[in-house]
Amino acid sequence: MMSSENRSQFSVSCSSVSEKARAKINLALHVTGQRPDGYHLLDMLVTFADHGDRLDFMRSPADAFTLSGRFGEVLAGDGGTNLVLKARDLLRGAIGPLAFPVRIHLEKNLPVASGIGGGSADAAATLRGLMRLWGTTLSAETLAALALRLGADVPMCLESRPLIARGIGEKIEPVPDLPGFAMVLANPLKGVSTPEVFRRLATKNNPALSLTPSRPQAADWLAAIAAARNDLEPPARDLVPEIAAIAAMLQAHGALLTRMSGSGATCFGMFASMAAAVDAAAALHGARSDWYFQATETVSGGA
C-alpha cells in the first residue's frame, strides 16, 4: 500500500511522451587527482548539442524495448546492460506499483561509447520521460542519487544545459553565460578504451579548470576554452591515431578550435557560423563517408 505522502508525488500520467537525449560535449576536461577508490577527480566544462538520440515512451500491456537509427544495431542484443533499461528499472523501484508497463523506443543517432555521453544521455532522458509518462515527481536529491547510480555522467545529462562539473561529475554548477556554438562532431568510428586512456595519463594531478572570460561574448568564451585543455586527449591520440587525423581535417575545413570530447574518440570543431559548420560537415562526409560527421549547434546557458 502506498502512503499518502508517496501518493501525493503523483499527478495525471500520459499515454505517450518523447524526450531528446542531447550529445554531451566536454569543452574542457582537467584531471585533477584520484580518489583512494580509483575514481579520477575531474574539472569539466560541459555543454550539450541540439543533435542527439530520441526516446519515445508509451503505455503498453508489457514492457518492451525497440531500436532504430544509424547506430541502433550496435546496441541490439545487449539486454539488461542497456542504460535505458537500467534507468527504467531503477526509477520503477523508486516509484512503486503506479509505474505501469511501458514500451520504449530508442532512435540511436549518436555513436556508441564515443565520449559524448550517448548512453548517459539516454539514461537521463529515460528518467525524465518516464517521470512524465508515469505522472510523478521526485525530489531533486532523490533524482540526483538515482542518476549517479547509473553513472557519473548521468546527473550532468539530466541537466542538459551548460555547466561545470567537478569531483567525479556529481558536483554541478550551471554556467548561464555560456553561449551556443556552431559545431561539427566528428568520430572515426573506432573504439578507444576509457580505462586504458586513464592508465596512460602522464600525471593525474593537473591544474584545475579556471575560466574567467573578460566578457560573456562568444569570442571571449572561445578564447577561454582554447586556454583550457582535455587531459585525456594525448593518451587517446596514442591509442587511436585517427583522432589526430580527424582533428586536422576539422582544422583544414575552417574550425576555429578543435578538441576531443571526454575520453574520445569524438572530436569537435567550433565554427564561426552554422552555415560554415554545415558546409564543413558535408565536405568531410564526402571525404570519409565511413566516418561520422554531424553539424549541430550547442544550447546556450540561458536557454
Side-chain angles (χ1 to χ4, degrees):
M1 178 73 69
M2 181 172 290
S3 70
S4 60
E5 178 182 354
N6 287 337
R7 192 180 298 112
S8 69
Q9 295 176 345
F10 288 80
S11 58
V12 177
S13 62
C14 306
S15 60
S16 65
V17 298
S18 296
E19 282 282 338
K20 180 178 284 188
R22 299 179 184 274
K24 178 182 71 69
I25 313 299
N26 290 98
L27 297 174
L29 190 158
H30 294 200
V31 181
T32 60
Q34 188 172 17
R35 300 193 319 194
D37 62 4
Y39 280 97
H40 291 83
L41 300 175
L42 309 173
D43 280 5
M44 296 174 283
L45 176 64
V46 175
T47 192
F48 291 85
D50 188 56
H51 179 68
D53 296 337
R54 175 190 166 97
L55 289 103
D56 298 309
F57 308 89
M58 47 221 99
R59 184 187 288 266
S60 176
D63 282 338
F65 178 64
T66 56
L67 286 158
S68 65
R70 179 179 177 183
F71 300 102
E73 289 187 5
V74 180
L75 294 180
D78 74 347
T81 65
N82 189 305
L83 276 178
V84 169
L85 304 185
K86 289 185 176 181
R88 177 200 64 193
D89 295 343
L90 194 61
L91 184 61
R92 175 175 279 146
I95 289 174
L98 292 185
F100 50 76
V102 294
R103 178 180 181 272
I104 303 174
H105 180 77
L106 169 60
E107 182 182 292
K108 190 66 186 170
N109 303 315
L110 298 175
V112 176
S114 59
I116 50 177
S120 297
D122 294 342
T126 299
L127 295 177
R128 293 193 304 266
L130 287 180
M131 283 194 298
R132 291 168 55 206
L133 186 74
W134 286 334
T136 184
T137 58
L138 297 174
S139 70
E141 294 78 11
T142 299
L143 188 57
L146 288 179
L148 191 58
R149 286 176 62 184
L150 291 164
D153 283 354
V154 180
M156 288 178 266
C157 292
L158 265 178
E159 295 287 334
S160 286
R161 57 177 174 164
L163 56 87
I164 290 175
R166 294 187 171 90
I168 62 170
E170 82 285 9
K171 300 174 183 176
I172 293 173
E173 172 190 346
V175 185
D177 291 337
L178 189 71
F181 296 100
M183 187 176 286
V184 173
L185 304 178
N187 189 297
L189 300 183
K190 185 172 182 180
V192 55
S193 167
T194 297
E196 184 63 16
V197 168
F198 276 102
R199 191 187 71 80
R200 291 181 176 228
L201 275 173
T203 175
K204 300 180 180 181
N205 294 284
N206 301 295
L209 179 66
S210 178
L211 289 168
T212 54
S214 57
R215 296 171 298 171
Q217 305 298 321
D220 302 290
W221 271 107
L222 191 67
I225 294 165
R229 60 188 190 274
N230 182 348
D231 289 330
L232 302 183
E233 187 164 349
R237 286 187 177 216
D238 288 342
L239 287 167
V240 181
E242 289 88 344
I243 293 172
I246 212 164
M249 291 172 69
L250 287 165
Q251 288 177 329
H253 285 81
L256 304 175
L257 171 67
T258 63
R259 183 166 289 157
M260 189 183 80
S261 178
S263 58
T266 300
C267 294
F268 60 86
M270 301 171 75
F271 287 80
S273 68
M274 193 61 197
V278 169
D279 288 345
L284 290 163
H285 179 75
R288 289 299 305 257
S289 60
D290 55 327
W291 288 0
Y292 169 84
F293 298 101
Q294 178 65 50
T296 188
E297 191 168 14
T298 62
V299 299
S300 67

